[in-house]
Amino acid sequence: MEFCQMLRGAVRQIAKIPTCVGVGPSKTIAKAANKLAKSRPELNGVCDLRDEAARVALYQDLGIGEVWGIGGKTAEKLAASGVRTVADFLRLDPRKVRDMMSVVGARVQAELRGVSCLPLSLMAPQRKGIAVTRSFGMPITDWWTMREAVASYATRAGEKLREHGLLASTMTVLLHTNPHNGDPWYSNQHSARIEATNDTTSLIGEAIRMLEPMWRAGFRYSKAGIMLGELIDAGSQPVSLFPTRDPVRSARAMAALDAVNGRFGRDTLRPLATGITRTWTAKAMNLSPRYTTRVGEILVGTAY
């Protein structure tokens, strides 16, 4: 438990975030332990449920609806059968649990008994898609403003690809008007295969080429977006015999772009196609103050 307390202290010191730690022989028990650590001050933020006797004592008072994997409707269904606590749930015959809740419920019951059925993933699975879609801060009515917005979204999508070391092989561009304000409705999207890339300039070019045939003048557009699919690991991509862009120069340019923006802040350096004033961006009227990351937003005290 000393390690858990040390871990909590380190997170609090570095990230300024209060945390609680739950320990158990399975994911479901660890989740329950974490919930108890949060709700019971006497545990001092750490709950260890590795000991079976400790679990049995706590299960008598732990409501079944508090268990990870059991939703409100399922809890109501179990309550109708007289199951209100985790202890009640564990006394049920596993075959009855399977009949009532399918294999998912059977796994939850086994997990609560200390049998690990949900293996721990030490590495996050590779993303299957990336989407950048935004509502505009004001309706867009002209082509050049829409072009800027879509180029900006393609730029952000490229940043996400490079952040995860991925290349995109398909792209979808979408746009539509506001369905709620009485404006004439128009919605369209276009999807196509593209040369696998995470180069921002290539993504912007493909996005604008897809956008052009969809554009219809006379509408007040409220939203647009970019979606990238068929993502592949950049390190395992076969070398193309006829690339449309020099891969070495592209990688160097993108690395320099990311290095500048990583050091001085996003959009410090960006393609001109994304615009300069960008009046179409979403209005963040209720954005929370960023005291820990923005010097200009630190509260200034006044002495009286």
mmCIF file of all heavy atoms in Angstrom, residues 137-173:
data_model
loop_
_atom_site.group_PDB
_atom_site.id
_atom_site.type_symbol
_atom_site.label_atom_id
_atom_site.label_comp_id
_atom_site.label_asym_id
_atom_site.label_seq_id
_atom_site.Cartn_x
_atom_site.Cartn_y
_atom_site.Cartn_z
ATOM 1 N N GLY A 137 -18.461 28.661 -35.722
ATOM 2 C CA GLY A 137 -18.903 29.719 -34.818
ATOM 3 C C GLY A 137 -19.918 30.642 -35.452
ATOM 4 O O GLY A 137 -20.682 31.322 -34.757
ATOM 5 N N MET A 138 -19.947 30.672 -36.789
ATOM 6 C CA MET A 138 -20.921 31.456 -37.540
ATOM 7 C C MET A 138 -21.160 30.742 -38.861
ATOM 8 O O MET A 138 -20.287 30.016 -39.335
ATOM 9 C CB MET A 138 -20.393 32.875 -37.806
ATOM 10 C CG MET A 138 -19.051 32.912 -38.506
ATOM 11 S SD MET A 138 -18.394 34.566 -38.740
ATOM 12 C CE MET A 138 -19.600 35.215 -39.878
ATOM 13 N N PRO A 139 -22.355 30.866 -39.463
ATOM 14 C CA PRO A 139 -22.627 30.155 -40.713
ATOM 15 C C PRO A 139 -21.637 30.562 -41.806
ATOM 16 O O PRO A 139 -21.275 31.730 -41.927
ATOM 17 C CB PRO A 139 -24.054 30.576 -41.071
ATOM 18 C CG PRO A 139 -24.660 31.007 -39.777
ATOM 19 C CD PRO A 139 -23.544 31.613 -38.986
ATOM 20 N N ILE A 140 -21.198 29.599 -42.575
ATOM 21 C CA ILE A 140 -20.306 29.860 -43.713
ATOM 22 C C ILE A 140 -21.131 29.899 -44.992
ATOM 23 O O ILE A 140 -21.902 28.979 -45.270
ATOM 24 C CB ILE A 140 -19.219 28.779 -43.803
ATOM 25 C CG1 ILE A 140 -18.219 28.949 -42.661
ATOM 26 C CG2 ILE A 140 -18.494 28.829 -45.142
ATOM 27 C CD1 ILE A 140 -17.086 27.947 -42.662
ATOM 28 N N THR A 141 -20.938 30.961 -45.755
ATOM 29 C CA THR A 141 -21.723 31.136 -46.987
ATOM 30 C C THR A 141 -20.853 31.273 -48.225
ATOM 31 O O THR A 141 -21.395 31.314 -49.337
ATOM 32 C CB THR A 141 -22.609 32.391 -46.876
ATOM 33 O OG1 THR A 141 -21.780 33.530 -46.605
ATOM 34 C CG2 THR A 141 -23.641 32.228 -45.760
ATOM 35 N N ASP A 142 -19.521 31.373 -48.072
ATOM 36 C CA ASP A 142 -18.675 31.536 -49.263
ATOM 37 C C ASP A 142 -17.648 30.420 -49.341
ATOM 38 O O ASP A 142 -17.233 29.850 -48.324
ATOM 39 C CB ASP A 142 -17.967 32.900 -49.252
ATOM 40 C CG ASP A 142 -16.959 33.010 -48.119
ATOM 41 O OD1 ASP A 142 -17.385 33.230 -46.972
ATOM 42 O OD2 ASP A 142 -15.759 32.855 -48.391
ATOM 43 N N TRP A 143 -17.235 30.136 -50.574
ATOM 44 C CA TRP A 143 -16.354 29.016 -50.852
ATOM 45 C C TRP A 143 -15.006 29.130 -50.154
ATOM 46 O O TRP A 143 -14.515 28.170 -49.582
ATOM 47 C CB TRP A 143 -16.154 28.886 -52.358
ATOM 48 C CG TRP A 143 -14.932 28.102 -52.748
ATOM 49 C CD1 TRP A 143 -13.774 28.584 -53.279
ATOM 50 C CD2 TRP A 143 -14.749 26.681 -52.598
ATOM 51 N NE1 TRP A 143 -12.872 27.565 -53.479
ATOM 52 C CE2 TRP A 143 -13.442 26.388 -53.077
ATOM 53 C CE3 TRP A 143 -15.551 25.647 -52.109
ATOM 54 C CZ2 TRP A 143 -12.933 25.095 -53.076
ATOM 55 C CZ3 TRP A 143 -15.034 24.365 -52.111
ATOM 56 C CH2 TRP A 143 -13.740 24.097 -52.590
ATOM 57 N N TRP A 144 -14.391 30.295 -50.162
ATOM 58 C CA TRP A 144 -13.038 30.426 -49.640
ATOM 59 C C TRP A 144 -12.992 30.215 -48.127
ATOM 60 O O TRP A 144 -12.033 29.642 -47.608
ATOM 61 C CB TRP A 144 -12.452 31.783 -50.022
ATOM 62 C CG TRP A 144 -12.185 31.862 -51.499
ATOM 63 C CD1 TRP A 144 -12.912 32.531 -52.424
ATOM 64 C CD2 TRP A 144 -11.139 31.183 -52.213
ATOM 65 N NE1 TRP A 144 -12.393 32.335 -53.676
ATOM 66 C CE2 TRP A 144 -11.303 31.512 -53.579
ATOM 67 C CE3 TRP A 144 -10.098 30.340 -51.831
ATOM 68 C CZ2 TRP A 144 -10.446 31.014 -54.555
ATOM 69 C CZ3 TRP A 144 -9.240 29.846 -52.813
ATOM 70 C CH2 TRP A 144 -9.423 30.185 -54.156
ATOM 71 N N THR A 145 -14.027 30.622 -47.443
ATOM 72 C CA THR A 145 -14.065 30.385 -46.000
ATOM 73 C C THR A 145 -14.233 28.899 -45.709
ATOM 74 O O THR A 145 -13.578 28.345 -44.815
ATOM 75 C CB THR A 145 -15.195 31.186 -45.340
ATOM 76 O OG1 THR A 145 -15.040 32.575 -45.659
ATOM 77 C CG2 THR A 145 -15.188 31.021 -43.842
ATOM 78 N N MET A 146 -15.108 28.234 -46.469
ATOM 79 C CA MET A 146 -15.280 26.786 -46.309
ATOM 80 C C MET A 146 -13.984 26.051 -46.627
ATOM 81 O O MET A 146 -13.595 25.091 -45.936
ATOM 82 C CB MET A 146 -16.410 26.284 -47.202
ATOM 83 C CG MET A 146 -16.631 24.777 -47.136
ATOM 84 S SD MET A 146 -17.138 24.205 -45.494
ATOM 85 C CE MET A 146 -18.869 24.710 -45.519
ATOM 86 N N ARG A 147 -13.299 26.503 -47.637
ATOM 87 C CA ARG A 147 -12.019 25.894 -48.021
ATOM 88 C C ARG A 147 -11.017 26.000 -46.865
ATOM 89 O O ARG A 147 -10.301 25.047 -46.562
ATOM 90 C CB ARG A 147 -11.481 26.598 -49.269
ATOM 91 C CG ARG A 147 -10.259 25.955 -49.913
ATOM 92 C CD ARG A 147 -9.883 26.768 -51.148
ATOM 93 N NE ARG A 147 -8.822 26.135 -51.901
ATOM 94 C CZ ARG A 147 -7.523 26.277 -51.664
ATOM 95 N NH1 ARG A 147 -7.137 27.031 -50.642
ATOM 96 N NH2 ARG A 147 -6.626 25.676 -52.419
ATOM 97 N N GLU A 148 -10.967 27.163 -46.226
ATOM 98 C CA GLU A 148 -10.082 27.354 -45.078
ATOM 99 C C GLU A 148 -10.426 26.389 -43.940
ATOM 100 O O GLU A 148 -9.541 25.777 -43.331
ATOM 101 C CB GLU A 148 -10.191 28.790 -44.554
ATOM 102 C CG GLU A 148 -9.472 29.827 -45.363
ATOM 103 C CD GLU A 148 -9.556 31.190 -44.714
ATOM 104 O OE1 GLU A 148 -10.121 31.280 -43.587
ATOM 105 O OE2 GLU A 148 -9.086 32.171 -45.302
ATOM 106 N N ALA A 149 -11.721 26.272 -43.648
ATOM 107 C CA ALA A 149 -12.154 25.421 -42.538
ATOM 108 C C ALA A 149 -11.779 23.967 -42.783
ATOM 109 O O ALA A 149 -11.234 23.288 -41.899
ATOM 110 C CB ALA A 149 -13.663 25.564 -42.331
ATOM 111 N N VAL A 150 -12.061 23.466 -43.980
ATOM 112 C CA VAL A 150 -11.747 22.068 -44.289
ATOM 113 C C VAL A 150 -10.241 21.840 -44.298
ATOM 114 O O VAL A 150 -9.756 20.804 -43.825
ATOM 115 C CB VAL A 150 -12.388 21.673 -45.632
ATOM 116 C CG1 VAL A 150 -11.883 20.308 -46.094
ATOM 117 C CG2 VAL A 150 -13.911 21.641 -45.499
ATOM 118 N N ALA A 151 -9.476 22.800 -44.795
ATOM 119 C CA ALA A 151 -8.018 22.678 -44.758
ATOM 120 C C ALA A 151 -7.514 22.635 -43.317
ATOM 121 O O ALA A 151 -6.584 21.893 -42.985
ATOM 122 C CB ALA A 151 -7.385 23.840 -45.510
ATOM 123 N N SER A 152 -8.129 23.425 -42.437
ATOM 124 C CA SER A 152 -7.751 23.422 -41.029
ATOM 125 C C SER A 152 -8.051 22.081 -40.385
ATOM 126 O O SER A 152 -7.240 21.549 -39.604
ATOM 127 C CB SER A 152 -8.499 24.540 -40.296
ATOM 128 O OG SER A 152 -8.194 24.537 -38.920
ATOM 129 N N TYR A 153 -9.203 21.488 -40.712
ATOM 130 C CA TYR A 153 -9.557 20.185 -40.152
ATOM 131 C C TYR A 153 -8.610 19.097 -40.665
ATOM 132 O O TYR A 153 -8.232 18.186 -39.921
ATOM 133 C CB TYR A 153 -10.996 19.830 -40.488
ATOM 134 C CG TYR A 153 -12.022 20.778 -39.916
ATOM 135 C CD1 TYR A 153 -13.336 20.802 -40.374
ATOM 136 C CD2 TYR A 153 -11.684 21.678 -38.912
ATOM 137 C CE1 TYR A 153 -14.275 21.665 -39.844
ATOM 138 C CE2 TYR A 153 -12.611 22.551 -38.380
ATOM 139 C CZ TYR A 153 -13.904 22.545 -38.858
ATOM 140 O OH TYR A 153 -14.836 23.415 -38.336
ATOM 141 N N ALA A 154 -8.235 19.179 -41.951
ATOM 142 C CA ALA A 154 -7.283 18.214 -42.513
ATOM 143 C C ALA A 154 -5.926 18.345 -41.822
ATOM 144 O O ALA A 154 -5.241 17.347 -41.568
ATOM 145 C CB ALA A 154 -7.148 18.428 -44.014
ATOM 146 N N THR A 155 -5.548 19.585 -41.484
ATOM 147 C CA THR A 155 -4.286 19.812 -40.779
ATOM 148 C C THR A 155 -4.297 19.149 -39.413
ATOM 149 O O THR A 155 -3.338 18.489 -39.007
ATOM 150 C CB THR A 155 -4.027 21.328 -40.629
ATOM 151 O OG1 THR A 155 -3.923 21.912 -41.932
ATOM 152 C CG2 THR A 155 -2.758 21.598 -39.850
ATOM 153 N N ARG A 156 -5.395 19.323 -38.685
ATOM 154 C CA ARG A 156 -5.507 18.703 -37.354
ATOM 155 C C ARG A 156 -5.521 17.183 -37.472
ATOM 156 O O ARG A 156 -4.922 16.486 -36.639
ATOM 157 C CB ARG A 156 -6.783 19.201 -36.666
ATOM 158 C CG ARG A 156 -6.989 18.605 -35.289
ATOM 159 C CD ARG A 156 -5.906 19.022 -34.331
ATOM 160 N NE ARG A 156 -6.033 18.354 -33.028
ATOM 161 C CZ ARG A 156 -5.057 17.720 -32.426
ATOM 162 N NH1 ARG A 156 -3.855 17.656 -32.979
ATOM 163 N NH2 ARG A 156 -5.250 17.147 -31.253
ATOM 164 N N ALA A 157 -6.191 16.648 -38.496
ATOM 165 C CA ALA A 157 -6.215 15.198 -38.692
ATOM 166 C C ALA A 157 -4.810 14.671 -38.955
ATOM 167 O O ALA A 157 -4.427 13.610 -38.458
ATOM 168 C CB ALA A 157 -7.149 14.838 -39.849
ATOM 169 N N GLY A 158 -4.013 15.415 -39.730
ATOM 170 C CA GLY A 158 -2.633 15.017 -39.986
ATOM 171 C C GLY A 158 -1.807 14.991 -38.711
ATOM 172 O O GLY A 158 -0.977 14.099 -38.509
ATOM 173 N N GLU A 159 -2.028 15.982 -37.827
ATOM 174 C CA GLU A 159 -1.313 16.006 -36.551
ATOM 175 C C GLU A 159 -1.636 14.763 -35.734
ATOM 176 O O GLU A 159 -0.749 14.160 -35.111
ATOM 177 C CB GLU A 159 -1.703 17.257 -35.762
ATOM 178 C CG GLU A 159 -1.194 18.554 -36.358
ATOM 179 C CD GLU A 159 -1.732 19.763 -35.616
ATOM 180 O OE1 GLU A 159 -2.595 19.578 -34.728
ATOM 181 O OE2 GLU A 159 -1.305 20.890 -35.926
ATOM 182 N N LYS A 160 -2.896 14.371 -35.720
ATOM 183 C CA LYS A 160 -3.294 13.181 -34.964
ATOM 184 C C LYS A 160 -2.657 11.922 -35.551
ATOM 185 O O LYS A 160 -2.228 11.028 -34.807
ATOM 186 C CB LYS A 160 -4.818 13.043 -34.959
ATOM 187 C CG LYS A 160 -5.538 14.090 -34.125
ATOM 188 C CD LYS A 160 -7.035 13.793 -34.086
ATOM 189 C CE LYS A 160 -7.780 14.752 -33.179
ATOM 190 N NZ LYS A 160 -9.222 14.417 -33.082
ATOM 191 N N LEU A 161 -2.608 11.843 -36.883
ATOM 192 C CA LEU A 161 -1.976 10.681 -37.512
ATOM 193 C C LEU A 161 -0.525 10.553 -37.085
ATOM 194 O O LEU A 161 -0.062 9.487 -36.684
ATOM 195 C CB LEU A 161 -2.056 10.810 -39.042
ATOM 196 C CG LEU A 161 -3.388 10.504 -39.720
ATOM 197 C CD1 LEU A 161 -3.312 10.868 -41.198
ATOM 198 C CD2 LEU A 161 -3.776 9.044 -39.560
ATOM 199 N N ARG A 162 0.212 11.648 -37.168
ATOM 200 C CA ARG A 162 1.643 11.601 -36.838
ATOM 201 C C ARG A 162 1.859 11.353 -35.344
ATOM 202 O O ARG A 162 2.833 10.704 -34.947
ATOM 203 C CB ARG A 162 2.314 12.896 -37.282
ATOM 204 C CG ARG A 162 2.306 13.090 -38.792
ATOM 205 C CD ARG A 162 3.194 14.231 -39.224
ATOM 206 N NE ARG A 162 2.751 15.520 -38.717
ATOM 207 C CZ ARG A 162 1.831 16.288 -39.288
ATOM 208 N NH1 ARG A 162 1.221 15.884 -40.399
ATOM 209 N NH2 ARG A 162 1.495 17.462 -38.776
ATOM 210 N N GLU A 163 0.950 11.859 -34.528
ATOM 211 C CA GLU A 163 1.050 11.630 -33.082
ATOM 212 C C GLU A 163 1.005 10.149 -32.753
ATOM 213 O O GLU A 163 1.681 9.679 -31.834
ATOM 214 C CB GLU A 163 -0.077 12.374 -32.372
ATOM 215 C CG GLU A 163 -0.082 12.217 -30.869
ATOM 216 C CD GLU A 163 -1.267 12.927 -30.218
ATOM 217 O OE1 GLU A 163 -1.942 13.732 -30.908
ATOM 218 O OE2 GLU A 163 -1.514 12.676 -29.036
ATOM 219 N N HIS A 164 0.213 9.392 -33.518
ATOM 220 C CA HIS A 164 0.058 7.958 -33.262
ATOM 221 C C HIS A 164 0.906 7.107 -34.212
ATOM 222 O O HIS A 164 0.801 5.872 -34.178
ATOM 223 C CB HIS A 164 -1.414 7.565 -33.387
ATOM 224 C CG HIS A 164 -2.298 8.174 -32.345
ATOM 225 N ND1 HIS A 164 -2.400 7.672 -31.066
ATOM 226 C CD2 HIS A 164 -3.103 9.268 -32.374
ATOM 227 C CE1 HIS A 164 -3.237 8.415 -30.357
ATOM 228 N NE2 HIS A 164 -3.671 9.388 -31.129
ATOM 229 N N GLY A 165 1.723 7.740 -35.053
ATOM 230 C CA GLY A 165 2.582 6.988 -35.962
ATOM 231 C C GLY A 165 1.811 6.222 -37.019
ATOM 232 O O GLY A 165 2.158 5.080 -37.349
ATOM 233 N N LEU A 166 0.761 6.848 -37.572
ATOM 234 C CA LEU A 166 -0.121 6.173 -38.513
ATOM 235 C C LEU A 166 -0.170 6.898 -39.859
ATOM 236 O O LEU A 166 0.166 8.081 -39.966
ATOM 237 C CB LEU A 166 -1.541 6.090 -37.934
ATOM 238 C CG LEU A 166 -1.704 5.321 -36.625
ATOM 239 C CD1 LEU A 166 -3.109 5.492 -36.079
ATOM 240 C CD2 LEU A 166 -1.395 3.837 -36.825
ATOM 241 N N LEU A 167 -0.628 6.163 -40.862
ATOM 242 C CA LEU A 167 -0.920 6.709 -42.186
ATOM 243 C C LEU A 167 -2.379 6.410 -42.498
ATOM 244 O O LEU A 167 -2.917 5.381 -42.079
ATOM 245 C CB LEU A 167 -0.029 6.073 -43.258
ATOM 246 C CG LEU A 167 1.485 6.095 -43.049
ATOM 247 C CD1 LEU A 167 2.164 5.284 -44.152
ATOM 248 C CD2 LEU A 167 2.015 7.514 -43.036
ATOM 249 N N ALA A 168 -3.029 7.294 -43.246
ATOM 250 C CA ALA A 168 -4.435 7.084 -43.632
ATOM 251 C C ALA A 168 -4.512 6.688 -45.099
ATOM 252 O O ALA A 168 -3.803 7.241 -45.941
ATOM 253 C CB ALA A 168 -5.240 8.352 -43.392
ATOM 254 N N SER A 169 -5.391 5.729 -45.389
ATOM 255 C CA SER A 169 -5.560 5.252 -46.774
ATOM 256 C C SER A 169 -6.899 5.647 -47.371
ATOM 257 O O SER A 169 -7.099 5.504 -48.576
ATOM 258 C CB SER A 169 -5.421 3.723 -46.814
ATOM 259 O OG SER A 169 -4.176 3.318 -46.296
ATOM 260 N N THR A 170 -7.846 6.108 -46.545
ATOM 261 C CA THR A 170 -9.131 6.594 -47.053
ATOM 262 C C THR A 170 -9.476 7.905 -46.363
ATOM 263 O O THR A 170 -9.054 8.162 -45.242
ATOM 264 C CB THR A 170 -10.265 5.586 -46.818
ATOM 265 O OG1 THR A 170 -10.477 5.423 -45.414
ATOM 266 C CG2 THR A 170 -9.961 4.244 -47.457
ATOM 267 N N MET A 171 -10.266 8.712 -47.060
ATOM 268 C CA MET A 171 -10.712 9.990 -46.502
ATOM 269 C C MET A 171 -12.172 10.227 -46.845
ATOM 270 O O MET A 171 -12.628 9.881 -47.935
ATOM 271 C CB MET A 171 -9.863 11.144 -47.059
ATOM 272 C CG MET A 171 -10.331 12.534 -46.623
ATOM 273 S SD MET A 171 -9.406 13.889 -47.375
ATOM 274 C CE MET A 171 -7.884 13.811 -46.433
ATOM 275 N N THR A 172 -12.880 10.814 -45.899
ATOM 276 C CA THR A 172 -14.260 11.243 -46.111
ATOM 277 C C THR A 172 -14.362 12.715 -45.726
ATOM 278 O O THR A 172 -13.883 13.109 -44.667
ATOM 279 C CB THR A 172 -15.248 10.429 -45.263
ATOM 280 O OG1 THR A 172 -15.183 9.055 -45.643
ATOM 281 C CG2 THR A 172 -16.674 10.929 -45.442
ATOM 282 N N VAL A 173 -14.966 13.504 -46.592
ATOM 283 C CA VAL A 173 -15.217 14.924 -46.323
ATOM 284 C C VAL A 173 -16.727 15.119 -46.275
ATOM 285 O O VAL A 173 -17.451 14.611 -47.145
ATOM 286 C CB VAL A 173 -14.596 15.830 -47.399
ATOM 287 C CG1 VAL A 173 -14.872 17.302 -47.093
ATOM 288 C CG2 VAL A 173 -13.097 15.587 -47.492
#
